[in-house]
Each structure stands twice: as structure tokens, then as C-alpha cells.
């Protein structure tokens, strides 16, 4: 489990996180959401040991992560930062193979175990047929899957990903999120990701963390915490929250602010009368989500 205690972190003279306490569940897909500059990426970077906290600590399975050897952390925690740079001309197989570096020693170079780990990682990420392609020749979605394959080759129990869907079109976003969902549901990996799309977060997350101004406003299962009040408090957005017709997950529908709003369609009624939409959260239980435990994009 990853957790923080009295965490203070920031950049130069600016404090972003100030006394943050947070526990992230194991074997779950956690998504961190919030407005721009609220501290999402700072939190992820600090948990990944890419940013040194000014005070407080990050705990990995109860041990301060700063006290653990770098190689041990790399064997337990895979990290994918925002927009990683691809070395020019490197192939997919070469890049995925770099995920095995934590296991290399001067007396132990590449082994059959490393090869098997790379093959398995590429198969999980569905990039095996791209093995000989230069990474910089791939589409955005393919490239993200390759980076995820590299983190999978590390063979860690937990993955931290900072905005893995940034700059991707909708189809590629779903492609990447489906992969992360499968890693959690089929492989038991702990996945923690920062996302901007609140509806995607609600659809895929087991555990949702909502942040504002460097603090955690709410944390828990999306269907328990994602309400119109929360969206207004965190994002300053008026909305209604209704069940997704496909998954039953909370679906955020922004209020119409353009003036002279068109009347919503009402089944069996083609008049221009206006119908109100209540703030609804799905009920608990598997029946509320017919796709629970299955492929989230199935049925789209």
C-alpha cells in the first residue's frame, strides 16, 4: 500500500501540498482528479520518489520510501511520467527491455528470465507485433501502450501513471484505460493514475481521490463520493450526476449555461416542455453496474 503522512511538497518557494494524509488501497485502480494546478501531479511525483518532500513521508507497505534502496523501489513501483521522451530510433523491444534494468548487475546481464518478462509485458500491452518498429513511428495510443509495457517489464506490483491519456484521441484514451483496467482486474496490479476526464475516472476507478488546492477533498468509491455538490466544490461546475447507461457508474452532465437551453428529450413526448434531471447516484451492488469485473468499454 502507498500512503502519505503530513506530506509537504512543492517547487522553489511555492508549497503545493501542505500536510497531506492519504491511504491508497492495494489491488485497486485509483484515479486522482481535480482542477489544474491543484497538486495531482505533485502528489504522484512525490509518491514515486521523483520529488523530495519538504516534510512528512511517503510509505510503501509501511516503510518510508526514502529509506529504501533505489533498486528495490524500482522493483516494487513502476512509474510512467507525463509525456516521456522517446530516444530516437529505439525499437519497441529495446524500449520495453529497459524495464529490466533494475534486475541487471555487472555479473548478471541479460538472461532468459529477462526475455520472458519482456515477452509477457509486450503481450499484456498488445504490442508484440510492433516489437521491431521504431517507437517514434507509432501512433499515440500505440506509443502509450509501449511505455506501459516497459513499466510492466519491471514486474512491479504497483504502477503510477501521470496523465497517461494526455494528447490522445478518444479511441486511444479508451484503449489505454482498458489496458490499465485489465492489469488491475486480471493481473491484480495496483494502478494509480492522474486523469483529467472526470467521467472516465468514474467509469474505470475502484477508488477516486478528488483534490483541490493541494488537499484531498474526498476519497472513496466513485458511486459513493461523486455527487453534484462535490463537482461544484472541487471544479466550480454546476452539473447533475446520473447513472451511466452502460456501466451504472456516476456520469457527470454539466448544466447548460448558454441561455435558452433546448428542452431535453422525454421518451414518448415530442413537445417543447422542459423536464428536470435529478442528481442521482447509482445504488450499490453489482446489479448497478452490469459490467462490474468485466471489460469497461464493452458495449460501446
Amino acid at each position: 500500500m502507498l500512503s502519505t503522512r503530513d506530506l509537504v511538497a512543492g517547487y522553489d518557494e511555492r508549497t503545493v501540498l501542505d500536510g497531506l494524509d492519504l491511504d491508497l488501497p492495494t489491488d485497486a485502480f485509483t484515479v486522482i482528479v481535480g482542477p489544474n494546478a491543484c497538486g495531482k501531479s505533485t502528489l504522484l511525483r512525490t509518491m514515486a520518489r521523483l520529488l523530495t518532500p519538504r516534510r512528512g513521508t511517503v510509505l510503501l507497505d509501511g516503510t518510508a520510501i526514502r529509506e529504501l534502496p533505489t533498486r528495490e523501489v524500482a522493483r516494487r513501483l513502476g512509474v510512467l511520467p507525463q509525456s516521456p521522451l522517446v530516444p530516437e530510433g529505439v525499437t519497441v523491444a529495446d524500449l520495453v527491455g529497459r524495464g529490466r534494468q533494475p534486475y541487471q548487475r555487472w555479473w548478471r546481464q541479460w538472461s532468459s528470465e529477462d526475455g520472458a518478462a519482456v515477452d509477457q509485458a509486450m503481450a499484456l500491452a498488445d504490442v508484440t507485433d510492433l516489437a521491431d518498429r521504431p517507437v517514434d513511428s507509432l501512433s499515440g495510443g500505440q506509443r502509450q501502450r509501449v511505455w506501459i509495457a516497459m513499466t510492466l517489464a519491471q514486474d512491479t506490483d504497483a504502477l503510477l501513471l501521470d496523465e497517461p491519456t494526455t494528447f490522445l484521441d478518444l479511441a486511444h484514451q479508451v484503449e489505454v484505460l482498458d489496458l490499465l483496467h485489465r492489469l488491475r482486474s486480471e493481473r491484480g496490479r495496483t494502478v494509480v493514475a492522474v486523469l483529467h476526464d472526470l467521467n472516465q475516472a468514474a467509469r474505470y476507478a475502484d477508488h477516486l481521490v478528488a483534490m483541490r488546492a493541494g488537499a484531498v477533498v474526498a476519497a472513496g468509491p466513485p458511486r459513493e463520493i461523486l455527487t453534484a455538490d462535490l463537482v461544484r466544490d472541487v471544479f466550480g461546475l454546476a452539473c447533475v450526476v446520473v447513472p451511466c447507461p452502460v456501466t451504472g457508474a456516476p456520469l457527470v452532465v454539466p448544466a447548460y449555461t448558454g441561455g435558452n437551453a433546448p428542452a431535453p428529450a422525454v421518451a414518448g413526448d415530442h413537445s417543447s416542455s422542459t423536464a428536470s434531471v435529478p442528481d442521482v447516484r447509482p445504488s450499490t451492488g453489482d446489479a448497478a453496474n452490469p459490467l462490474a469485473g468485466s471489460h469497461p468499454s464493452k458495449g460501446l
Side-chain angles (χ1 to χ4, degrees):
M1 173 186 286
L2 272 169
S3 57
T4 69
R5 293 292 179 267
D6 192 28
L7 190 66
V8 178
Y11 308 93
D12 299 325
E13 301 301 318
R14 183 169 65 96
T15 297
V16 179
L17 308 175
D18 193 359
L20 190 145
D21 292 327
L22 181 65
D23 293 313
L24 299 181
T26 303
D27 298 335
F29 191 167
T30 293
V31 177
I32 304 171
V33 298
N36 290 339
C38 73
K40 304 184 299 295
S41 293
T42 301
L43 173 60
L44 201 75
R45 285 173 54 82
T46 308
M47 289 193 298
R49 216 169 73 165
L50 300 176
L51 181 64
T52 302
R54 297 174 181 172
R55 192 182 76 225
T57 187
V58 175
L59 301 173
L60 178 58
D61 295 329
T63 301
I65 198 169
R66 285 283 162 187
E67 298 176 1
L68 296 172
T70 298
R71 193 176 295 273
E72 180 180 347
V73 173
R75 290 182 177 184
R76 297 169 63 180
L77 200 62
V79 180
L80 183 59
Q82 288 186 41
S83 305
L85 297 176
V86 180
E88 185 176 355
V90 69
T91 66
V92 168
D94 289 340
L95 185 61
V96 176
R98 297 185 185 195
R100 298 302 297 171
Q101 288 180 354
Y103 300 90
Q104 305 300 310
R105 294 288 195 278
W106 66 266
W107 68 87
R108 179 194 179 280
Q109 297 302 311
W110 195 260
S111 69
S112 58
E113 181 181 347
D114 295 319
V118 168
D119 290 343
Q120 183 182 47
M122 289 196 296
L124 285 173
D126 194 23
V127 295
T128 301
D129 59 344
L130 304 175
D132 297 326
R133 293 268 302 275
V135 178
D136 53 13
S137 73
L138 304 179
S139 70
Q142 290 172 325
R143 194 175 301 184
Q144 280 297 80
R145 291 207 318 267
V146 171
W147 282 110
I148 292 170
M150 187 190 76
T151 63
L152 291 177
Q154 288 181 236
D155 196 24
T156 61
D157 292 329
L159 300 174
L160 303 184
L161 306 102
D162 193 359
E163 300 185 23
T165 59
T166 297
F167 306 125
L168 301 183
D169 61 34
L170 181 58
H172 286 138
Q173 291 174 29
V174 171
E175 186 178 86
V176 168
L177 291 171
D178 282 350
L179 169 59
L180 297 177
H181 177 271
R182 291 198 306 274
L183 293 176
R184 196 281 301 164
S185 62
E186 299 174 8
R187 298 285 171 169
R189 304 293 176 91
T190 298
V191 179
V192 182
V194 169
L195 294 180
H196 275 296
D197 190 303
L198 192 53
N199 285 328
Q200 288 181 347
R203 181 186 182 97
Y204 286 91
D206 304 302
H207 188 76
L208 191 68
V209 176
M211 295 185 64
R212 183 190 64 210
V216 173
V217 177
R223 67 181 61 198
E224 294 181 9
I225 70 167
L226 187 53
T227 65
D229 287 342
L230 179 71
V231 175
R232 183 186 63 248
D233 292 344
V234 172
F235 294 93
L237 177 69
C239 70
V240 292
V241 179
V242 298
C244 171
V246 177
T247 67
L251 181 68
V252 176
V253 183
Y256 188 83
T257 58
N260 298 321
V266 180
D269 182 4
H270 300 286
S271 69
S272 60
S273 61
T274 300
S276 61
V277 183
D279 175 14
V280 180
R281 285 178 294 172
S283 60
T284 57
D286 291 342
N289 185 351
L291 299 182
S294 66
H295 205 273
S297 67
K298 187 177 181 180
L300 286 180

